[in-house]
Amino acid sequence: LNAQLEQPSTPPDDELFDGLRELYVTSQLEWSEGEPAINIYEEQGYFGCHKDHLALTVLVPLLNPGESFSGGGTGFWAGNRDTSENPETSPTAVLKPPAGTALVFGGDVTHSGMPVEQGLRSVLVCSFSTKTAASNPDRLHGLHAPPTTSANFKGTL
């Protein structure tokens, strides 16, 4: 879905993916700490409202809503840069795409992992920007294992 929550009529250009692959292989991407990662949500598990502050975030659900869990999903608040990271309202939209699809959005979008009511939800998460002179070397691991991980990085299944 695009920013207007509509299905695009044309697929992305294949050259886009070749360019992203090259940036990844040559360590030209700055990743959010501990990412790419798999976030696991158990009953009552959630990830509070926040902005990622990087160019793009990609979320890929690994389990189907309604089959593996109820509740959950990714909540989004309208307003982008004008919206606080701690909004006092309910999300404008909660998306629960099927396993294997991707949500892609900019780092200034306020979002959250909504509480799971029952079951288990897992999501592949990666937020990234292109490398700059100010990039932290610990966040430029490309094809190499990261030199350090945060205490809350639990690895992948």
Side-chain angles (χ1 to χ4, degrees):
L1 298 178
N2 63 21
Q4 286 80 37
L5 299 177
E6 301 165 341
Q7 181 67 41
S9 58
T10 58
D13 187 346
D14 286 342
E15 290 180 23
L16 168 68
F17 298 107
D18 290 339
L20 283 174
R21 187 179 312 110
E22 182 68 20
L23 289 171
Y24 176 76
V25 169
T26 60
S27 296
Q28 296 301 306
L29 296 176
E30 175 180 359
W31 299 91
S32 186
E33 185 175 355
E35 291 182 3
I38 296 178
N39 289 353
I40 307 291
Y41 299 84
E42 296 176 332
E43 277 187 34
Q44 304 308 311
Y46 67 93
F47 199 110
C49 297
H50 64 285
K51 296 180 183 187
D52 295 322
H53 301 291
L54 293 169
L56 284 177
T57 295
V58 179
L59 304 178
V60 179
L62 301 176
L63 298 170
N64 280 314
E67 294 176 17
S68 300
F69 65 92
S70 62
T74 304
F76 292 93
W77 282 259
N80 294 338
R81 290 185 179 106
D82 297 329
T83 302
S84 161
E85 288 196 58
N86 297 302
E88 296 179 11
T89 60
S90 296
T92 307
V94 176
L95 301 181
K96 299 179 187 180
T101 59
L103 293 175
V104 180
F105 52 92
D108 287 332
V109 174
T110 302
H111 62 285
S112 73
M114 302 301 290
V116 169
E117 295 167 3
Q118 285 186 308
L120 183 75
R121 176 180 182 230
S122 64
V123 181
L124 172 67
V125 179
C126 56
S127 302
F128 57 91
S129 292
T130 53
K131 178 177 145 182
T132 68
S135 295
N136 181 334
D138 287 349
R139 293 167 63 166
L140 303 173
H141 49 275
L143 287 178
H144 310 285
T148 59
T149 57
S150 65
N152 63 344
F153 179 70
K154 304 299 183 195
T156 59
L157 297 177

